[in-house]
Amino acid sequence: MKPIERSARKSVFFWSALVVAAAGLYFLWPRPPLSNVPTGPPAAQPSRVEQKSEAPAPPKGALPVRGAAAAPVTIEEFSDFQCPYCARSVTNVKQILEKYPGEVRWIFRHFPVFSSHPTAPAIHLVAIAAGEQGRFWEMHDLLFANQDRVSRDDLFGYARQLHLDMKLFEETLRDRDLLVRIETDYNEAVDRGVRATPTFFINGRKVEGAIPLPLFEREVESALARAKGAAAPTAPSGG
């Protein structure tokens, strides 16, 4: 089969994303009551105070980063919240951050494979909206831990679990800029030769797939060695 040209692939994403965005109006956003049906007085509800997110909100449009900002090694991941292989790799990257404190940072980039996972773009919107309140990584972990529970009620339940400002969360989901951010990441991934998820760039070196932790560590150690000007580690000799 002839490869799809990059410009064509971008166009496919753009129009597919528009369809997903339209579907998201129903799938994600609050639905108004039917106009001609009397609703009556609202049912009594127990009083409660909405708990707000206390995390500082990142600059609008900033890439999600976990780990030391000035770390010598950057793991840039293009990922899909509905990809099972991406879910498997989460634990590995977390272990890398723990093993190399201050030396590695993790950047998340959006690459929803909507041809296989039609609802993935909408789920990415939820993560970005949480990120606007400083809770991207907490939502990231919840979404990967619950890949089989992504109904509208589930997603809004995760937002409440993280004590997000729900009114702001719903308003943010209506912001078309969120879809633009996904498209920007997707297009950059295509330009950089990303073909599947997860795809990592470790200090620019491309690594595809959910590779085993020892191989991941070796890639990171090689990147650290290069960043520090030392010789890259060599494989142990047999015998």
Side-chain angles (χ1 to χ4, degrees), residues 3 6 16-17 19 24-25 31 83 111 118 133 148 168 172 191 198 232:
R6 288 179 179 177
S16 298
V19 172
L25 287 168
R31 298 186 278 281
C83 167
F111 194 73
Q133 297 187 46
D148 58 342
L168 177 59
T172 304
D191 286 339

Side-chain angles (χ1 to χ4, degrees), residues 195-225:
R195 300 174 297 177
T197 54
T199 293
F200 302 93
F201 289 89
I202 303 176
N203 276 10
R205 175 179 166 82
K206 183 179 176 183
V207 178
E208 294 183 307
I211 63 174
L213 180 60
L215 294 180
F216 213 135
E217 291 176 342
R218 179 171 172 78
E219 289 288 343
V220 169
E221 289 169 1
S222 295
L224 275 171

Side-chain angles (χ1 to χ4, degrees), residues 124-180:
H124 282 257
L125 292 177
V126 167
I128 298 174
E132 292 297 282
Q133 297 187 46
R135 289 287 186 264
F136 174 85
W137 289 105
E138 292 88 342
M139 182 64 80
H140 165 282
D141 292 349
L142 282 172
L143 292 172
F144 274 124
N146 298 279
Q147 284 187 318
D148 58 342
R149 299 183 61 187
V150 290
S151 69
R152 179 185 180 278
D153 288 344
D154 290 328
L155 297 173
F156 274 72
Y158 303 148
R160 286 188 288 270
Q161 182 177 333
L162 296 176
H163 306 306
L164 299 186
D165 179 327
M166 295 305 295
K167 182 178 179 181
L168 177 59
F169 179 70
E170 293 173 6
E171 291 174 353
T172 304
L173 286 174
R174 296 185 177 95
D175 186 352
R176 295 188 179 187
D177 180 60
L178 271 63
L179 187 60
V180 173

